């Protein structure tokens, strides 16, 4: 398949991408979290093409992207708590609600709920509005690989597999949206942590829980089917290390063919050719923005067989960074 390369700073290119979506094509596009791979959510045949292009298991449901929060009414049953959550919409938040009939099973993997999100990044909203349809979109990576946060990542993964790639800015948040499930009138369960943090959600809801699958190995059924798969994984094995810089230097002294993911404060590690910094140890937003690009950079060097990563903090957006690294590592942690 020939893949058209389009640019989101050109109106006619956004219009072209919208036309393609309307016509049943699959089109990758930027959002503030990660690049998505979109299709008309009301067109099952188009939605199925997304699963093929990514190699995604068909039991993993997709997020439906809207241009306004109020459109949720058309596709799902909302409640008062949903409207409190619209304080974070547009933004990096996905809300799971009971679905209406018009959302096909191909999108929800047969579940009776649907995940809805309104992206903040303006060209994404323009695209959805112009297409005039809800847009089902997972992250635009090959299934299991780190999500794409730069246009080049999508070009690397999806050229020849999709009708078009709309290229835009690097993703400012850099990790996928926070996924929350509304339970009853006043309870939220975080199924996947992201840019809208637990602390932020607690400002509008007194009962906010974190699904155990976020920080521990999957045993049983997580609320979001996607959380059970090995995810975000570069080709190299990822191992998380808990310890001081000195302990890590000692630990790696007899190792070979590895890269190290650390923080700006790790001055001695950073003098080595094989280390990349995620940013300062407490700068969780920068760590989120850089994480997937760092994992993809290590994979470009085919001699790297293992990536040792320092365990990030878990405050605020740090929890999202920790969750993605834990999943990339398959929960493989070494305590020094
Ligand atoms: O930031 C994002 O959310 C990006 C951009 C493109 O918007 N999208 C994204 O989609 O990360 P994806 O498909 O990679 O992740 C969707 C997650 C999966 O873990 C999936 O299992 C969960 O949302 N999900 C979708 N629909 C669900 C539902 N009805 N019930 C529970 N979990 C659901
Ligand atoms: Mg994904």
């Amino acid at each position: 398949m020939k893949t058209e390369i389009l640019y989101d700073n050109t109106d006619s290119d956004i219009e072209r991408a919208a036309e393609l979506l309307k016509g049943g094509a699959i089109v990758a596009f930027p959002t503030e979290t990660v690049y998505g791979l979109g299709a008309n959510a009301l067109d099952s045949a188009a939605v199925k093409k997304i699963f093929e292009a990514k190699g995604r298991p068909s039991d993993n449901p997709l997020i439906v992207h809207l241009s306004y929060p109020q459109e949720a009414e058309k596709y799902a049953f909302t409640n008062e708590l949903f409207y409190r959550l619209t304080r974070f919409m547009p933004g990096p938040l996905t809300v799971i609600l009971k679905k209406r009939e018009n959302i096909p099973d191909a999108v929800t993997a047969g579940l009776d709920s649907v995940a809805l999100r309104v992206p903040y990044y303006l060209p994404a909203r323009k695209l959805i509005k112009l297409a005039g349809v809800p847009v089902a979109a997972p992250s635009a990576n090959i299934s299991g690989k780190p999500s794409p946060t730069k246009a080049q990542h999508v070009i690397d993964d999806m050229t020849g597999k999709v009708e078009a790639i709309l290229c835009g800015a690097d993703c400012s948040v850099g990790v996928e949206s926070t996924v929350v499930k509304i339970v009853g009138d006043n309870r939220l369960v975080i199924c996947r942590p992201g840019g809208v943090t637990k602390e932020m959600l607690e400002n509008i809801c007194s009962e906010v829980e974190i699904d155990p699958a976020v920080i521990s190995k999957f045993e049983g059924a997580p609320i979001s089917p996607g959380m059970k798969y090995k995810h975000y994984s570069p080709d190299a094995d990822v191992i998380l290390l808990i310890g001081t810089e000195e302990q890590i230097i000692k630990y790696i002294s007899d190792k070979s063919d590895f890269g190290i993911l650390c923080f700006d404060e790790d001055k001695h590690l950073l003098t080595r050719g094989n280390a990349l910094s995620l940013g300062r140890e407490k700068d969780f937003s920068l760590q989120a923005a850089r994480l997937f690009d760092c994992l993809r950079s290590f994979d470009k060097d085919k001699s790297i067989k293992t990536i040792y990563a320092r365990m990030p903090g878990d405050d605020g957006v740090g929890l999202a960074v920790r969750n993605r690294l834990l999943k990339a590592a398959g929960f493989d942690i070494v305590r020094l």
Side-chain angles (χ1 to χ4, degrees), residues 28-329:
F29 63 97
T31 81
E32 72 278 15
T33 57
V34 301
Y35 276 70
L37 178 53
N40 175 357
L42 304 178
D43 177 346
S44 295
V47 168
K48 283 185 183 141
K49 289 202 280 183
I50 292 179
F51 287 86
E52 275 162 39
K54 281 185 57 107
R56 181 180 176 104
S58 60
D59 69 348
N60 192 4
L62 306 180
I63 295 172
V64 175
H65 296 69
L66 309 172
S67 49
Y68 297 101
Q70 291 75 7
E71 283 183 302
E73 293 295 347
K74 287 196 231 165
Y75 308 109
F77 296 93
T78 62
N79 64 1
E80 193 267 329
L81 180 52
F82 171 78
Y83 281 96
R84 273 187 265 155
L85 283 169
T86 58
R87 182 196 290 191
F88 307 110
M89 297 172 148
L93 178 71
T94 295
V95 183
I96 300 172
L97 293 166
K98 190 164 178 355
K99 83 174 188 84
R100 291 189 191 270
E101 282 278 297
N102 51 5
I103 296 291
D105 280 349
V107 170
T108 63
L111 298 177
D112 65 357
S113 57
V114 63
L116 299 177
R117 157 160 144 79
V118 181
Y120 174 80
Y121 184 67
L122 205 56
R125 269 201 339 266
K126 267 194 193 167
L127 172 68
I128 300 163
K129 192 153 187 277
L130 278 173
V133 292
V135 176
S139 48
N141 50 287
I142 293 170
S143 202
K145 294 287 155 217
S147 294
T149 53
K150 293 173 183 274
Q152 188 59 48
H153 298 161
V154 185
I155 292 170
D156 291 345
D157 277 19
M158 289 297 154
T159 302
K161 295 181 178 158
V162 300
E163 272 91 354
I165 297 171
L166 183 64
C167 301
D170 293 354
C171 302
S172 56
V173 177
V175 288
E176 303 83 350
S177 60
T178 304
V179 177
V180 294
K181 182 164 181 139
I182 292 183
V183 187
D185 293 336
N186 195 39
R187 193 152 74 91
L188 291 174
V189 182
I190 298 175
C191 312
R192 181 177 71 183
V196 172
T197 63
K198 180 168 190 273
E199 295 81 353
M200 289 159 81
L201 293 167
E202 279 165 348
N203 285 326
I204 59 124
C205 177
S206 54
E207 277 185 64
V208 184
E209 285 168 32
I210 297 176
D211 187 16
V214 166
I215 43 165
S216 53
K217 212 175 180 120
F218 165 70
E219 276 160 25
I223 296 172
S224 276
M227 297 300 279
K228 71 175 177 268
Y229 294 108
K230 186 161 184 199
H231 242 127
Y232 319 113
S233 305
D235 294 334
D237 287 333
V238 178
I239 296 176
L240 274 162
L241 301 180
I242 299 178
T244 62
E245 188 186 18
E246 295 76 65
Q247 287 170 321
I248 291 174
I249 289 171
K250 192 160 161 237
Y251 177 78
I252 59 179
S253 62
D254 61 349
K255 308 282 189 292
S256 54
D257 304 329
F258 62 88
I260 309 161
L261 190 56
C262 57
F263 302 118
D264 285 358
E265 287 85 347
D266 300 320
K267 301 276 181 249
H268 299 287
L269 285 169
L270 284 168
T271 55
R272 298 161 179 248
N274 57 351
L276 289 175
S277 174
L278 279 178
R280 294 185 67 82
E281 197 169 349
K282 298 278 178 215
D283 189 347
F284 301 125
S285 301
L286 186 62
Q287 291 168 25
R290 283 188 183 167
L291 176 67
F292 291 137
D293 186 48
C294 286
L295 294 179
R296 282 176 176 258
S297 300
F298 282 126
D299 263 355
K300 286 227 165 78
D301 180 347
K302 293 296 166 208
S303 69
I304 293 181
K305 304 285 184 250
T306 310
I307 300 166
Y308 294 109
R310 293 204 67 171
M311 180 72 109
D314 63 357
D315 294 345
V317 189
L319 182 64
V321 179
R322 178 180 283 199
N323 165 260
R324 303 315 187 268
L325 271 172
L326 281 166
K327 303 217 53 139

